[in-house]
Amino acid sequence: MMILYLALLLLAVFVIFYFRLYLFAFPTHRLIILMYHQIEEDTCEDLTVSLKNLEQQFSYLQKEKYTAKFFSELGTPASKSIILTFDDGYKNNFKYLPALLEKYNLKATIFIPTSFIQEGYGDYEMMTFKDLRSLPEKYIELALHSHSHQNFRDVSAGFIERDLEKNMQILESQSIKYSKILAYPYGKYPKKKADKDILFSNLKKIGIDFAVRIGNKVNYFPTRHPYELCRVDIKGGDSLIKFKLKLIFGRLKLF
């Protein structure tokens, strides 16, 4: 029986620390960053959330008094801080997101890979630079997603630095206000410590404040790792119950 109690205790300790549940004891240091992509009225795709589900999720965040923030507001503590992020600059974000954010008094960050805006992305309809300029600054901030959307594990440090500088230069040339926050394309960056150190040094050199990966965990903030903030991936098939669980645990393989 003693062995069973010890095993259960060890399991409880593992769960508390692996899923960072201890942060509930420090609510002003608990930061959730959610990751979305597309919005459509109906969908069965992982990277596309239905309008109905997104509205249910936003309504829940408002009801539970979550404080939606831009990255620039992270210095202001709040007991339920959350950042909503959308990747790639799809036209359907422009169509649906501003009204929903206003309705539920939320904010979101859209990460822009400028090649997608200039050249398109497959068969998807993307926002134009005019669309980006007309997004309401009260509810939406724009940030960086590289220019070419290459996997950072497959390219050199020099390529990454030049690509990010191009990302910023194009936005500036189009008179588009943006924050120096980066979402890694595909959520990937080098695995080897030496390569990571070079990348992070270059990010600091060009003025990047924070960078987000996937990770699927809740963050402790302030952080000693500003270029490794985790996002929780919200899927198109997530029920409201799954969404609520992800706000607690991040993403479990079980759901």
Side-chain angles (χ1 to χ4, degrees), residues 2-13:
M2 190 67 170
I3 294 175
L4 177 60
Y5 286 149
L6 181 59
L8 291 174
L9 177 62
L10 291 174
L11 178 61
V13 170

Side-chain angles (χ1 to χ4, degrees), residues 8-249:
L8 291 174
L9 177 62
L10 291 174
L11 178 61
V13 170
F14 170 78
V15 169
I16 288 169
F17 280 89
Y18 183 81
F19 295 108
R20 299 175 177 172
L21 300 183
Y22 60 87
L23 288 177
F24 281 106
F26 308 96
T28 59
H29 295 291
R30 192 171 189 271
L31 173 64
I32 305 166
I33 306 176
L34 302 185
M35 180 177 72
Y36 296 90
H37 287 77
Q38 297 201 67
I39 311 164
E40 293 288 2
E41 290 189 15
D42 295 295
T43 180
C44 58
E45 296 181 7
D46 270 354
L47 296 184
T48 307
V49 64
S50 72
L51 189 57
K52 177 183 176 182
N53 281 2
L54 187 61
E55 183 148 18
Q56 286 180 337
Q57 293 165 12
F58 281 9
S59 177
Y60 177 78
L61 294 176
Q62 183 190 56
K63 179 183 176 183
E64 295 300 314
K65 296 180 170 36
Y66 279 85
T67 303
K69 293 183 173 182
F70 294 144
F71 282 88
S72 60
E73 298 171 320
L74 285 179
T76 306
S79 61
K80 287 187 174 182
S81 294
I82 194 165
I83 297 180
L84 309 174
T85 69
F86 289 77
D87 285 6
D88 300 336
Y90 297 98
K91 188 79 167 187
N92 47 51
N93 288 192
F94 179 79
K95 181 178 180 181
Y96 296 116
L97 198 51
L100 279 178
L101 293 171
E102 182 176 6
K103 180 177 180 179
Y104 294 103
N105 193 30
L106 298 171
K107 300 175 180 180
T109 301
I110 301 178
F111 291 106
I112 302 298
T114 37
S115 69
F116 287 9
I117 307 303
Q118 288 183 324
E119 304 161 18
Y121 176 45
D123 295 329
Y124 298 112
E125 187 177 7
M126 310 305 291
M127 280 190 264
T128 65
F129 288 118
K130 181 180 179 181
D131 293 335
L132 295 177
R133 283 192 294 270
S134 64
L135 289 167
E137 292 183 10
K138 181 178 179 181
Y139 300 106
I140 294 173
E141 72 170 345
L142 300 177
L144 307 170
H145 202 22
S146 81
H147 171 68
S148 60
H149 203 269
Q150 296 290 313
N151 189 326
F152 280 11
R153 289 184 183 171
D154 299 334
V155 293
S156 69
F159 177 91
I160 293 171
E161 184 176 357
R162 292 190 299 272
D163 198 57
L164 289 174
E165 288 175 340
K166 187 172 184 179
N167 195 190
M168 292 186 283
Q169 288 166 0
I170 291 172
L171 292 174
E172 290 166 5
S173 71
Q174 293 291 330
S175 301
I176 293 170
K177 183 179 178 181
Y178 66 92
S179 297
K180 287 193 174 182
I181 314 298
L182 169 66
Y184 298 112
Y186 307 103
K188 306 292 186 182
Y189 56 95
K191 287 184 175 181
K192 294 181 180 178
K193 185 180 185 303
D195 293 335
K196 279 200 298 185
D197 289 345
I198 292 171
L199 171 63
F200 296 166
S201 176
N202 286 343
L203 294 182
K204 185 175 182 179
K205 182 174 72 173
I206 63 177
I208 302 297
D209 296 315
F210 300 104
V212 295
R213 56 190 182 115
I214 301 179
N216 282 309
K217 290 185 178 182
V218 173
N219 299 282
Y220 179 91
F221 195 88
T223 178
R224 292 179 297 170
H225 307 285
Y227 301 137
E228 296 181 285
L229 289 174
C230 292
R231 293 195 286 176
V232 179
D233 188 9
I234 304 300
K235 298 292 190 182
D238 287 350
S239 65
L240 186 59
I241 291 174
K242 285 184 179 180
F243 178 77
K244 293 176 183 179
L245 288 171
K246 286 184 175 183
L247 294 178
I248 297 170
F249 295 101

